Amino acid sequence: MAKSNEIVVIGELNVDLIASGVGTGPVLGSEVLADDFNVALGSASAIFACGIARLGHSVTFVSRIGNDDFGHFCLESLAKRDIATDRIEIDVQSKTGVTVVVSTADDRAMVTFLGAIAELSLSEVPADIFRGHKHLHLTSYYLQKSLQADFAHLLESAKAAGATTSFDPNSDPNQGRDEKVLEICRHTDILFLNEDEARLLTGVNDIEAAGRELNELCPTVAIKLGAKGAIGFQNSSTARVEGFKIDAVDSTGAGDSFAAGFVHAFLGGGDLRECLTIGNACGAFSASRPGGTDGQPDPEELERFLMYASLRA
């Protein structure tokens, strides 16, 4: 039975060049060795899209790339996962974005060349894009410079078309605090942040207090706590779930896989605790392999993982 259109992702595309199994982060003027190296589809938007497609949802991707080897790699990688790519603009004057990732078991450092990432604008987003879709996901606010001013408009347009929405601003490379992000939070159904982002955005150090403050702006807030799990806030209620114990290989994209799992459970009618648990499981799966997408589970793998985790508890 064919899947109906469900998810639209409007976002950035880039290639990740990943050095994994590094014992410590690099320092200028020195050299460190990696256990492995991979070229993978990158970008928070693409990792989310691949994760939720792997869980059985159909996805339409709207983006901009250059007419180069990295751009074609992105297109082929999405197409292999049955993600619709006909709304991706190929610009012969642009270069596709690239991120160099140095990954340890616990964290990673990244250097990004934006290229076409910063060039996608509202004029390249089809006016009828939300027709037939159930959910919009937006992320990487700070990187998508030409689209920043239209995030709230896109979220409102999706909701007017009957779709639910989620927003993960991700971190500001300049470590700043953009008050405009707080306003965008008012327009989304689900807000994803990590601990540092939640504290920086609210100016509140206590994570539960920060979450409650954000919940006043947005109906559902999920704060990713890494190996410690996640905490969520919905309609003034709070739920906290522990992380899964795994042998982490690469944390690249684990937060975006978390978001994919959370939205998957949310669209299935799951309550806050279930959404957090599914998100945690998908994030843990992702961290078990290099790259953001190779370790993402399908529904059967997710079910087995949760079953075995419950037996070990």
Side-chain angles (χ1 to χ4, degrees), residues 4 45 63 75 109 146 178 184 193 206 208 213 218 223 235 241 271 282 292 311:
S4 62
S45 295
S63 190
L75 283 180
S146 295
D178 191 337
I184 296 170
L193 297 164
D206 180 80
E208 290 200 27
E213 183 173 312
C218 175
I223 299 177
N235 300 324
V241 297
D271 62 18
C282 290
L311 292 174

Side-chain angles (χ1 to χ4, degrees), residues 15-294:
V15 168
D16 279 351
L17 309 178
I18 307 163
S20 57
V22 177
T24 184
V27 177
L28 289 177
S30 68
E31 182 177 12
V32 295
L33 300 180
D35 291 337
D36 200 2
F37 180 83
N38 291 273
V39 180
L41 176 65
S43 87
S45 295
I47 293 171
F48 172 89
C50 291
I52 204 157
R54 179 79 171 155
L55 289 168
H57 301 266
S58 62
V59 181
T60 299
F61 206 101
V62 181
S63 190
R64 181 186 180 104
I65 55 173
N67 186 24
D68 48 32
D69 289 342
F70 285 158
H72 293 296
F73 177 89
C74 291
L75 283 180
E76 291 167 5
S77 298
L78 292 173
K80 285 178 183 177
R81 294 166 172 86
D82 294 324
I83 294 171
T85 61
D86 57 304
R87 303 300 181 96
I88 296 175
E89 179 80 13
I90 302 174
D91 185 351
V92 296
Q93 302 298 322
S94 298
K95 290 184 178 180
T96 303
V98 181
T99 296
V100 179
V101 182
V102 179
S103 181
T104 69
D106 299 318
D107 210 341
R108 79 276 190 217
M110 298 179 288
V111 178
T112 294
F113 164 71
L114 290 177
I117 290 172
E119 299 167 3
L120 178 68
S121 66
L122 184 64
S123 64
E124 294 165 278
V125 179
D128 64 347
I129 190 62
F130 303 119
R131 186 179 303 157
H133 289 92
K134 297 179 182 178
H135 188 85
L136 165 67
H137 183 70
L138 293 179
T139 185
S140 297
Y141 167 83
Y142 296 98
L143 304 185
Q144 298 190 83
K145 297 183 181 299
S146 295
L147 199 62
Q148 280 180 348
D150 298 301
F151 268 57
H153 167 75
L154 289 169
L155 292 165
E156 281 301 316
S157 297
K159 291 168 78 171
T164 53
T165 60
S166 52
F167 172 49
D168 185 342
N170 274 346
S171 299
D172 181 358
N174 296 319
Q175 299 299 309
R177 181 175 184 268
D178 191 337
E179 294 285 347
K180 295 175 184 175
V181 174
L182 286 171
E183 181 56 35
I184 296 170
C185 294
R186 298 179 185 273
H187 298 273
T188 188
D189 296 308
I190 307 169
L191 173 65
F192 295 109
L193 297 164
N194 65 28
E195 282 184 274
D196 292 338
E197 292 161 356
R199 291 186 175 110
L200 182 62
L201 194 56
T202 60
V204 177
N205 190 56
D206 180 80
I207 201 64
E208 290 200 27
R212 287 193 296 271
E213 183 173 312
L214 291 164
N215 195 202
E216 294 177 3
L217 305 178
C218 175
T220 300
V221 177
I223 299 177
K224 300 163 282 186
L225 307 177
K228 297 179 293 182
I231 186 169
F233 306 83
Q234 189 175 70
N235 300 324
S236 301
S237 65
T238 304
R240 184 188 286 264
V241 297
E242 297 297 320
F244 294 96
K245 294 181 180 178
I246 60 163
D247 293 324
V249 173
D250 179 13
S251 60
T252 303
D256 303 304
S257 292
F258 172 97
F262 189 104
V263 171
H264 166 70
F266 179 87
L267 293 176
D271 62 18
L272 180 59
R273 182 170 295 278
E274 180 182 356
C275 291
L276 292 168
T277 300
I278 299 298
N280 265 348
C282 290
F285 243 91
S286 175
S288 67
R289 294 184 186 177
T293 60
D294 287 348

